[in-house]
Amino acid sequence: WKDNRMSITIFTKPNCQPCRMTKRWLDENEIQYTELPISDYADILKVAGHMSAPVVQINKANNDVVTWAGGFNIKKLQEHCLK
């Protein structure tokens, strides 16, 4: 089942195939997310060590935050978005 109490933010850039694949997977699994342009947050993300797109941030109901960057990672999406 999907945890509706979590929030997902995806930082993307134009013409990014992994970004499109990540959004498509979330859409196909009917998981809501917020998409933000990575360029607007580049300095903050760089300081956090995230150098490639997409950057996916999941805020879970138990206040855990999971973040990863760089590529379409179906295993992490399944692990953190589906139960």
Side-chain angles (χ1 to χ4, degrees):
W1 57 277
K2 293 173 267 229
D3 187 345
N4 293 324
R5 298 167 297 164
M6 69 181 164
S7 66
I8 300 172
T9 304
I10 306 172
F11 299 90
T12 62
K13 64 181 184 177
N15 302 315
C16 170
Q17 183 63 20
C19 299
R20 284 192 293 271
M21 292 172 66
T22 300
K23 293 186 300 182
R24 183 180 312 129
W25 186 90
L26 290 166
D27 290 340
E28 288 172 355
N29 285 281
E30 299 178 353
I31 299 171
Q32 293 183 350
Y33 58 91
T34 301
E35 180 180 7
L36 298 172
I38 203 167
S39 59
D40 290 356
Y41 301 88
D43 292 341
I44 296 168
L45 295 171
K46 187 175 181 180
V47 168
H50 304 301
M51 306 291 282
S52 59
V55 174
V56 179
Q57 180 175 336
I58 300 173
N59 297 302
K60 294 188 165 196
N62 64 0
N63 295 322
D64 283 347
V65 178
V66 179
T67 306
W68 69 87
F72 173 62
N73 192 326
I74 193 167
K75 288 184 181 182
K76 283 193 176 183
L77 287 167
Q78 290 172 333
E79 176 185 351
H80 296 291
C81 297
L82 301 178
K83 292 188 177 187

